[in-house]
Amino acid sequence: MKLINKITYWFIGIVFLITPFTMYISYTNIKKKIDEAEVERMKDVNERVAEQLKSGEKPDRYALGRPISITPVQGPLPVKQTEVTEANFYNEDIKRRECRLTVSSFYMVNETPYRISSYNYVTKSDQILSGMINALVIKLLLIILSVGITARLLSRYVLYPFRQTMKIINNFDIKKKDKIELPATTTREFKELNTFLEKMTEKAMEDYASVKEFSENASHELQTPLAVIRSKLELLAETDIDACQASLIADTQNAIDKLSKINRSLTLLTRLDNHEFATSDDIKICRITKDVLAVYEDWIAHRGLQVRTDLCANVPVRIHPTLAEMLLNNLLSNAIRHNIEQGMIEIRLTPSRLTVINTGLPPEIPTEELFLRFKKSNQSADSIGLGLAIVKQICEVNQFDISYAYQQGQHIINIHFNVAENTAPQRVTGGRAAVT
Amino acid sequence: MKVLVIEDNKELAGSIYNFLAAEGYICELAYHFEEAREKLLLFPYDCILLDIMLPDGNGLDLLRFIKQEHIQSGILIISAKDSLDDKVNGLEGGADDYITKPFHLPELHARLRAIYRRQKLEGNNLVSFNEIGLNTDTLEATINDTLLDITKKEFDLLLYFVVNKNRVLSRQAIAAHLWGDYTDNLANFDFVYQHVKNLRKKINTARGADYIETVYGLGYRFNASRT
């Protein structure tokens, strides 16, 4: 719900809630004032009549034609000099309830107590109420209408800086080095928000840049000496050396290879952590799977593995192409390396998931732990133990779910893409593609 | 071939110099941005090896300078940054190829040769050595004009050997050349062995000389002096 609608609804709700109370208050107030005025007036009339009586005049001048009665009363004068009574009754003639207000005053005239009563018909409370309700309907309609209209007009003006800020934040890209520029505003909250956002984005950009710089430096500062060592060893290998020296060089070269790979993998993990591979494009995962599979063809053949593929064509997945390639590279090379001779690899791709199954020895540590850095199961000491950590990190960055299970001699890695299944892709490639 | 090596690390530049000088190339070194700029203005080169990170400037700026001055040299970028931006920027900026540290010297050489071939021998994509002929365009290999039935990988391997003749090619260098950077785990030695064995067999069958010899413990060498 839009902010302005929310505020409008709340406002109208409060008006509705308050209205009965205000109505009750104004109703009782109006009624009280009318009665008071009437009582006051009749009291005054009674007073005059009493004065006339006292002076011995005939009270006709006042009483004539007026709803007034003068009766002598028995007994002493009541404590209260005036008495107000209200009588409600139904008037058959005009077919509505009426209210008669009677004011009786007691006076001592010539030692005799008299009661002088005046009465009058006053406006009945329901009539006031119905009049008020009529007014209220119009009043509420007016309030709702004006609140609705002014809210919209005002929001356009008052919330303009807020909307601009949202737009700018939406378009903010941490990789571009320019700072965000938010519109000036006089609203305090928006000012605070803008300062906060400016600070946050600046900090985020700084952090991003420093991590990026670190990974680049780590990469540069380590890879250059490695390049020196490797090139010197290669030059050394060209010289006249004996078998013993050759094997020393070979061992050193292996170590450099490993070091370089570890460095590269760790740098990659850092860059994944830093979200340097953001993308807004979808790629077709099946094509990349086929490409990567083609690269490994030789190795698969060399190990005598059987490959079964069941790939849905046109599965769009939002992932950076380099990452997709790395993901499949790591998954497939693992499936090949940790396989058994004459084993099997199965790759299944559906619009929602990618499954890689391979035969292999049971893992020596719980499968979930294999995702940790430098955790290796048994065999294959030639691997560096970062492949699955990278796979997991790539999945996390792209919000894929990954699971690893070992069942009946098969390693099963499942990647769930979490995509909205909008298009129904055709199944084109199927069946078995045996590579021998 | 005349090559300018722009690399701030003196040891690495020295290695490259040694390797290329042994191939009979005229090789010049530049350790700084300014030094490189001067040399580029004064002398023509066939190929330029360009390091991206220089102490007094960025290699990509130098690349821009080369293009501005219309210097017609092939350019191979060397970078320690494995970052994709650099690769894309470099290639879009007009570089011919890109190689990341730590590279194998034979790999650097092979790429340099490939650039040089494209640069100088327009249309002629034939690399030959004695009875061996390699067409880098059609990926066809011939021995004494008979077509050799080899796979693409074997073709690449043979080309790599011919370009780096008389050099020791380690198994790592061969694996990296054939399967690229990301296929890290392929440095499986009997796997390289298998490919070399197949290639030798095929050359033998076609009555070519057995140039490829094993260097104990290290790898292989294409011995040009064999007959």
Side-chain angles (χ1 to χ4, degrees):
Chain A
M1 191 187 274
K2 275 174 107 179
L3 175 68
I4 195 64
N5 289 349
K6 230 174 203 175
I7 290 174
T8 312
Y9 291 147
W10 270 98
F11 194 79
I12 291 171
I14 286 166
V15 166
F16 267 100
L17 212 67
I18 297 295
T19 305
F21 294 105
T22 56
M23 252 182 70
Y24 177 75
I25 292 165
S26 40
Y27 160 72
T28 47
N29 268 322
I30 291 169
K31 172 122 175 51
K32 211 169 123 198
K33 286 289 162 201
I34 290 174
D35 286 0
E36 262 173 27
E38 201 59 32
V39 168
E40 195 70 23
R41 199 176 56 77
M42 286 193 286
K43 250 180 171 172
D44 185 56
V45 169
N46 290 355
E47 188 77 17
R48 276 169 198 277
V49 173
E51 267 168 29
Q52 284 173 350
L53 268 180
K54 275 177 192 167
S55 62
E57 265 182 68
K58 279 250 178 197
D60 290 354
R61 189 158 73 94
Y62 252 92
L64 202 71
R66 279 172 194 260
I68 197 161
S69 65
I70 305 160
T71 41
V73 282
Q74 303 296 314
L77 272 178
V79 188
K80 267 180 82 185
Q81 226 199 335
T82 48
E83 193 184 277
V84 178
T85 50
E86 223 184 272
N88 288 300
F89 59 92
Y90 188 75
N91 188 331
E92 286 287 341
D93 296 338
I94 53 171
K95 296 211 177 350
R96 70 172 189 217
R97 285 167 64 79
E98 290 216 85
C99 178
R100 191 177 63 198
L101 196 68
T102 313
V103 179
S104 310
S105 311
F106 299 90
Y107 298 96
M108 278 301 258
V109 180
N110 302 330
E111 308 292 312
T112 334
Y114 277 94
R115 179 168 69 186
I116 303 168
S117 297
S118 322
Y119 68 93
N120 199 0
Y121 293 94
V122 291
T123 321
K124 178 66 190 100
S125 50
D126 338 353
Q127 288 164 307
I128 299 174
L129 206 60
S130 77
M132 280 175 73
I133 286 171
N134 278 343
L136 184 77
V137 172
I138 296 167
K139 201 167 82 183
L140 279 182
L141 276 178
L142 273 176
I143 288 179
I144 292 172
L145 204 71
S146 56
V147 163
I149 291 171
T150 44
R152 249 140 211 85
L153 290 178
L154 267 181
S155 89
R156 221 174 267 181
Y157 167 72
V158 173
L159 292 184
Y160 175 77
F162 181 68
R163 268 201 294 270
Q164 283 300 103
T165 303
M166 297 286 281
K167 210 164 120 190
I168 291 169
I169 283 298
N170 258 330
N171 293 332
F172 173 65
D173 183 0
I174 200 161
K175 285 182 194 164
K176 287 184 189 145
K177 283 176 185 106
D178 33 74
K179 283 184 192 169
I180 53 166
E181 270 183 38
L182 299 171
T185 164
T186 47
T187 316
R188 209 184 72 204
E189 284 85 349
F190 294 162
K191 257 189 208 164
E192 274 170 22
L193 176 74
N194 284 359
T195 347
F196 174 73
L197 282 176
E198 267 159 0
K199 257 194 224 154
M200 286 296 286
T201 48
E202 226 166 277
K203 180 89 179 58
M205 278 192 297
E206 267 171 31
D207 288 355
Y208 176 82
S210 74
V211 173
K212 189 165 192 256
E213 199 188 338
F214 169 78
S215 59
E216 277 170 4
N217 282 346
S219 162
H220 181 255
E221 298 309 324
L222 282 171
Q223 302 286 43
T224 306
L226 282 177
V228 173
I229 302 173
R230 182 178 267 176
S231 64
K232 297 295 175 199
L233 280 176
E234 271 165 352
L235 291 174
L236 185 59
E238 302 280 331
T239 58
D240 193 16
I241 49 168
D242 60 29
C244 174
Q245 288 163 326
S247 85
L248 288 177
I249 293 174
D251 288 348
T252 319
Q253 271 174 345
N254 282 342
I256 292 168
D257 232 35
K258 212 161 178 175
L259 197 55
S260 162
K261 275 167 197 166
I262 290 173
N263 182 33
R264 190 174 287 171
S265 301
L266 286 177
T267 312
L268 175 70
L269 281 169
T270 311
R271 292 176 61 202
L272 281 170
D273 276 339
N274 204 24
H275 293 271
E276 282 177 39
F277 294 95
T279 180
S280 52
D281 297 324
D282 287 351
I283 56 153
K284 301 243 163 68
I285 206 91
C286 86
R287 200 183 47 74
I288 292 186
T289 311
K290 282 182 199 158
D291 289 351
V292 172
L293 206 54
V295 171
Y296 285 103
E297 214 173 77
D298 298 332
W299 198 16
I300 291 168
H302 180 70
R303 296 211 55 183
L305 304 174
Q306 249 212 354
V307 177
R308 276 179 238 156
T309 56
D310 184 2
L311 309 173
C312 272
N314 290 324
V315 177
V317 175
R318 181 147 303 175
I319 181 172
H320 195 284
T322 312
L323 292 192
E325 205 178 300
M326 258 181 240
L327 182 76
L328 283 156
N329 252 323
N330 279 311
L331 286 177
L332 282 179
S333 66
N334 268 343
I336 298 168
R337 182 155 8 88
H338 300 293
N339 222 315
I340 48 174
E341 290 298 322
Q342 310 300 322
M344 179 277 296
I345 296 175
E346 190 174 339
I347 306 162
R348 271 187 246 148
L349 179 68
T350 69
S352 62
R353 62 176 64 224
L354 171 75
T355 313
V356 177
I357 303 170
N358 67 276
T359 47
L361 299 172
E364 286 176 2
I365 54 173
T367 50
E368 283 305 313
E369 277 181 33
L370 288 169
F371 287 123
L372 300 175
R373 294 179 188 187
F374 299 112
K375 276 275 179 187
K376 286 188 274 189
S377 189
N378 39 24
Q379 351 107 354
S380 314
D382 60 319
S383 71
I384 54 172
L386 282 173
L388 277 181
I390 290 173
V391 165
K392 174 141 181 116
Q393 193 72 25
I394 291 175
C395 287
E396 267 172 21
V397 166
N398 291 288
Q399 273 130 33
F400 300 160
D401 294 328
I402 183 164
S403 65
Y404 184 167
Y406 181 78
Q407 283 168 5
Q408 291 143 8
Q410 292 187 326
H411 295 260
I412 303 161
I413 292 187
N414 229 319
I415 293 176
H416 196 268
F417 298 133
N418 290 330
V419 282
E421 289 168 34
N422 38 12
T423 45
Q426 315 156 269
R427 183 162 294 218
V428 187
T429 352
R432 286 151 186 251
V435 184
T436 45
Chain B
M1 177 159 47
K2 203 174 166 195
V3 185
L4 176 65
V5 180
I6 307 168
E7 162 65 59
D8 63 309
N9 187 299
K10 289 191 175 142
E11 287 86 12
L12 187 59
S15 294
I16 297 171
Y17 181 89
N18 277 345
F19 194 93
L20 296 183
E23 289 294 323
Y25 301 161
I26 302 157
C27 193
E28 279 187 37
L29 302 177
Y31 301 124
H32 306 287
F33 188 93
E34 278 309 315
E35 198 182 345
R37 232 167 63 109
E38 269 172 41
K39 285 206 158 121
L40 282 167
L41 283 175
L42 289 173
F43 312 104
Y45 297 94
D46 296 312
C47 279
I48 300 164
L49 289 182
L50 177 60
D51 189 8
I52 295 271
M53 280 213 203
L54 292 170
D56 53 345
N58 189 314
L60 290 176
D61 292 332
L62 211 50
L63 182 64
R64 234 162 278 139
F65 170 77
I66 293 167
K67 291 293 151 188
Q68 251 167 34
E69 296 293 320
H70 301 288
I71 295 168
Q72 304 290 329
S73 314
I75 300 160
L76 174 58
I77 287 180
I78 312 172
S79 172
K81 284 203 238 171
D82 198 8
S83 100
L84 202 72
D85 300 352
D86 275 357
K87 205 167 197 157
V88 172
N89 288 342
L91 294 181
E92 276 180 0
D96 295 274
D97 206 351
Y98 184 101
I99 193 170
T100 45
K101 290 180 191 172
F103 47 80
H104 294 275
L105 287 172
E107 182 67 35
L108 181 85
H109 181 214
R111 299 220 185 178
L112 214 52
R113 289 299 308 195
I115 292 173
Y116 187 62
R117 270 201 306 275
R118 285 200 296 269
Q119 194 83 13
K120 294 286 161 189
L121 317 164
E122 291 138 2
N124 183 6
N125 297 309
L126 209 69
V127 177
S128 54
F129 174 76
N130 290 354
E131 70 269 35
I132 301 172
L134 293 163
N135 188 327
T136 55
D137 223 18
T138 57
L139 304 182
E140 281 171 346
T142 50
I143 302 274
N144 292 324
D145 296 326
T146 352
L147 197 63
L148 210 55
D149 175 31
I150 57 175
T151 65
K152 187 183 173 297
K153 284 267 159 14
E154 285 160 354
F155 178 90
D156 282 346
L157 185 59
L158 184 55
L159 180 63
Y160 197 41
F161 271 123
V162 170
V163 168
N164 287 299
K165 44 186 166 292
N166 295 326
R167 297 283 190 182
V168 177
L169 297 183
S170 66
R171 283 164 295 214
Q172 288 100 332
I174 292 173
H177 179 75
L178 292 185
W179 293 286
D181 270 347
Y182 288 119
T183 51
D184 280 346
N185 309 306
L186 282 173
N188 186 323
F189 293 158
D190 26 311
F191 189 39
V192 172
Y193 166 78
Q194 197 74 31
H195 272 273
V196 174
K197 198 178 92 182
N198 288 346
L199 183 63
R200 282 169 84 173
K201 211 193 278 172
K202 283 178 183 178
I203 294 173
N204 259 336
T205 317
R207 295 179 183 283
D210 189 15
Y211 295 106
I212 302 169
E213 58 182 29
T214 308
V215 180
Y216 178 75
L218 278 176
Y220 304 91
R221 182 196 282 128
F222 188 93
N223 191 338
S225 52
R226 285 221 184 170
T227 45

